[in-house]
Amino acid sequence: EALDLFGKVPDNAPSYEKALAYVGVCHYKLDAYAQANAAFDAYLNQFLKDPLRASTDPRVLAKRQEARATATFYWGLSAYQQAAAGGDWQKVIDVLQGFADEFPRQDAFAPAAMYRVLMAQQNLKREQEVEKTYARMLELFPDSSWTGRAATDIYGGLRAERETLLEKDPARARKLLYDMARYMKVSNDASSGAPFANLRLESMHWVELGEWATAEEVLRRIQSRFGKGAEADTVRRNVVPDLGKARYYQKKVVERLAVRKST
């Protein structure tokens, strides 16, 4: 019904261009990705490039910017859905790369667009591009749920890759473990309510890497938050000994004794 109504908006209406964009959005919502892509392409690459459509009217340009942002974002989402089903990940990057810079006022769309670009880069195994995009994401959207989600999903990809390299390439596997710990830390630090399982994973990675100061910080956080309650026994049996080990290797003898007495 919405698709039909948007298609009837007259071309002299103030929001005509937004209606053109939302024709594509309706197709996307109906999982008709080919039709959605065609609608977005027609608006962005044909309608807007028509010299007869040029305007200097601030009101027209403001609505055009909103329509362009909507069409670009949902075209990227459509490409993402198709890529996940076996399509072209590069298309996602082509459509959404630079979205945050081109549409700086789109606070809701921009981090979601950057997340899709990052996932496309990861699926194409472009490690340096993933690092660069995520650094930019942290800079622009440190508090966005998409930033924390990206860290978690990157972690999952790294873990899967590491499992295939443990015996074949130990040096590369260790590098991946470090990256896993780093991304899990970002995800945990982004939330004051990070779950026990995620914090424990992070602490175990730092312990395995011998990064004792960082391990101690996470282990203390776990002990403080989960020392009482459902996870208390696991904290006593597993977390506290790791905390003592982290302090021992930092030559914190007094602190290690304090841990021993507490157990």
Side-chain angles (χ1 to χ4, degrees):
E1 183 180 359
L3 177 62
D4 180 61
L5 291 171
F6 280 124
K8 292 178 179 177
V9 174
D11 63 2
N12 61 348
S15 294
Y16 175 64
E17 292 188 35
K18 293 181 72 174
L20 291 179
Y22 272 97
V23 166
V25 173
C26 288
H27 283 304
Y28 169 79
K29 296 286 189 179
L30 292 167
D31 298 332
Y33 302 127
Q35 293 93 320
N37 296 344
F40 297 135
D41 182 61
Y43 172 61
L44 293 170
N45 294 325
Q46 297 174 42
F47 180 94
L48 291 180
K49 293 181 180 180
D50 183 348
L52 296 178
R53 299 292 181 176
S55 177
T56 57
D57 186 331
R59 293 169 298 180
V60 172
L61 295 178
K63 291 184 180 296
R64 176 168 293 175
Q65 185 76 345
E66 292 179 17
R68 285 180 59 238
T70 298
T72 301
F73 179 71
Y74 279 96
W75 194 0
L77 293 193
S78 179
Y80 186 88
Q81 294 294 342
Q82 290 179 297
D88 182 8
W89 286 110
Q90 182 59 46
K91 182 64 176 178
V92 179
I93 299 171
D94 292 342
V95 174
L96 293 178
Q97 185 84 18
F99 184 95
D101 295 320
E102 190 170 1
F103 304 104
R105 299 181 65 181
Q106 295 291 336
D107 295 338
F109 282 173
M114 195 171 287
Y115 168 83
R116 267 75 179 195
V117 170
L118 196 152
M119 290 296 102
Q121 291 168 338
Q122 185 174 40
N123 275 280
L124 291 170
K125 301 189 183 305
R126 298 177 182 173
E127 185 177 328
Q128 291 184 342
E129 291 182 18
V130 170
E131 290 275 354
K132 183 177 179 180
T133 300
Y134 195 74
R136 180 74 168 147
M137 202 172 185
L138 276 175
E139 176 188 348
L140 295 178
F141 311 109
D143 300 322
S144 171
S145 62
W146 287 108
T147 304
R149 178 174 174 178
T152 301
D153 288 352
I154 294 171
Y155 173 92
L158 293 170
R159 181 175 60 186
E161 183 181 355
R162 180 174 182 264
E163 288 174 357
T164 68
L165 295 174
L166 284 172
E167 295 183 3
K168 294 186 294 184
D169 190 347
R172 171 67 177 162
R174 181 176 174 81
K175 165 63 166 60
L176 290 173
L177 179 62
Y178 179 81
D179 290 340
M180 287 165 58
R182 187 160 52 88
Y183 279 111
M184 185 56 71
K185 176 175 175 58
V186 170
S187 178
N188 288 336
D189 288 352
S191 171
S192 60
F196 174 83
N198 288 5
L199 287 166
R200 184 61 183 138
L201 272 177
E202 182 193 343
S203 70
M204 290 168 66
H205 294 336
W206 293 125
V207 167
E208 185 175 349
L209 289 163
E211 297 281 348
W212 302 114
T214 310
E216 180 186 3
E217 178 185 348
V218 182
L219 291 163
R220 289 178 62 186
R221 182 177 174 185
I222 295 172
Q223 186 183 39
S224 174
R225 283 189 55 203
F226 301 101
K228 297 180 181 179
E231 293 86 3
D233 187 56
T234 302
V235 170
R236 180 182 59 80
R237 289 185 292 106
N238 299 320
V239 173
V240 172
D242 277 356
L243 180 57
K245 184 188 297 184
R247 288 173 172 170
Y248 171 81
Y249 281 108
Q250 294 178 84
K251 302 187 186 309
K252 294 183 175 181
V253 180
V254 174
E255 291 88 341
R256 180 171 181 261
L257 288 173
V259 170
R260 290 185 63 185
K261 290 178 181 178
S262 71
T263 60

